């Protein structure tokens, strides 16, 4: 599933291509439309066709296409969504479900094997941020806010990091990587992290996402960048899907457990389980 680094890579690829371009048409596979757009195709077309894209921003895992009318189209890739830049005459993408046709002979092609992705029209781009916590690569992510997000929580620290209302942009891959980097057991109650561990985790969240962006995202399964090419970060992960292999730091075998319903990878030596003071979450 694309997380912040993957969506940011797509944004950086597409922004210089789409800004200043006018939308000439919108096509969506009828079977995908209800889930994808939640409005009739005519409504989508009347909102988008003729509009110029003035910016392409990102909030959490959302791509935000800002329009010259002040509204925005917000795309979320969910499990298997892809958005790639193509010449209008190019062959249909595998699992293509829709396209935004731009004046001048290019399309944004939307492909989505599992069809969980969404396009939503919003009155303005700021609406997207309303339900999202600060993101670790942004200026709003401060130690004070991070401490407040964890404070008093009996849920596993992994669950809190995955909760987009508390911290936005992290998903399963980068949460496992951040917890490993900070030396924290993923099942530990979030509210029981001490000040030193909290600081290590705060810094680790930012560091793993920045590395992911530098490596143009992680392509374990479906993610591709704005040109349809795979990222490289899967070659640099320390624990994610490395269970059964030795830890790069200590040589101990990486383990896989289930935390908060998600497959979770960690080194039992670098990230030792600590006795909880309260009832185990
Ligand atoms: Zn280790």
């Amino acid at each position: 599933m694309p997380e912040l680094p993957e969506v940011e890579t797509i944004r950086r690829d597409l922004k210089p291509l789409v800004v200043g371009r006018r939308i000439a048409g919108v096509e969506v596979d009828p079977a995908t439309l209800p889930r994808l757009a939640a409005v009739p195709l005519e409504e989508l077309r009347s909102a988008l066709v003729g509009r110029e894209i003035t910016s392409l921003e990102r909030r959490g895992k959302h791509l935000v296409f800002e329009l010259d009318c002040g509204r925005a189209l917000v795309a979320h890739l969910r499990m298997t969504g892809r958005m790639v830049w193509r010449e209008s005459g190019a062959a249909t993408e595998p699992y293509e479900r829709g396209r935004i046709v731009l004046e001048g002979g290019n399309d944004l092609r939307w492909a989505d094997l599992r069809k969980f992705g969404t396009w939503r029209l919003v009155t303005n781009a700021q609406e997207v941020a309303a339900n999202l916590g600060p993101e670790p690569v942004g200026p709003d992510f401060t130690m004070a806010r991070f401490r407040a997000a964890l404070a008093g929580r009996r849920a596993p620290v992994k669950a809190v990091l995955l909760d987009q209302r508390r911290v936005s942009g992290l998903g399963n891959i980068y949460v496992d990587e951040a917890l490993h980097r900070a030396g924290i057991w993923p099942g530990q109650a979030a509210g029981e992290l001490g000040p030193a561990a909290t600081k290590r985790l705060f810094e680790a969240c930012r560091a793993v996402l920045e590395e992911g962006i530098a490596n143009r995202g992680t392509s374990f399964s479906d993610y591709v960048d704005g040109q349809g090419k795979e990222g490289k970060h899967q070659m640099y992960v320390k624990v994610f899907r490395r269970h059964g292999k030795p830890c790069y730091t200590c040589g101990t075998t990486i383990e896989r457990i289930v935390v908060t319903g998600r497959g979770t990878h960690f080194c039992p030596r670098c990230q030792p389980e600590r006795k909880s003071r309260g009832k185990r979450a």
Side-chain angles (χ1 to χ4, degrees), residues 55-67:
S55 193
L56 177 54
E57 303 302 327
R58 181 190 53 73
R59 268 306 269 126
K61 304 175 193 172
H62 301 76
L63 282 169
V64 184
F65 292 85
E66 298 184 19
L67 306 172

Side-chain angles (χ1 to χ4, degrees), residues 247 250 267 270:
C247 172
C250 72
C267 170
C270 295

Side-chain angles (χ1 to χ4, degrees), residues 146-201:
F146 188 55
R147 230 181 277 118
L150 301 175
R153 309 264 308 165
R154 295 235 302 254
V157 60
K158 174 157 182 172
V160 175
L161 294 180
L162 286 172
D163 183 346
Q164 302 298 300
R165 296 166 301 180
R166 298 190 174 270
V167 181
S168 66
L170 291 161
N172 211 33
I173 298 172
Y174 294 94
V175 165
D176 282 5
E177 293 296 308
L179 288 166
H180 177 68
R181 192 180 185 107
I184 295 167
W185 185 62
Q188 185 173 353
E192 294 184 347
L193 288 181
T198 302
K199 182 163 187 293
R200 288 200 309 275
L201 187 55

Side-chain angles (χ1 to χ4, degrees), residues 85-136:
W85 176 258
R86 292 288 184 250
E87 301 287 326
S88 288
T92 303
E93 298 293 307
Y95 306 107
E96 184 174 318
R97 312 291 185 194
R99 57 179 74 172
I100 296 171
V101 180
L102 302 173
E103 282 183 8
N106 292 98
D107 304 337
L108 289 168
R109 302 282 181 91
W110 179 263
D112 191 358
L113 169 63
R114 302 280 300 275
K115 298 196 273 193
F116 288 118
T118 58
W119 294 357
R120 292 290 181 268
L121 291 161
V122 295
T123 311
N124 63 68
Q126 283 68 45
E127 263 181 59
V128 187
N131 295 316
L132 295 175
E135 45 184 85

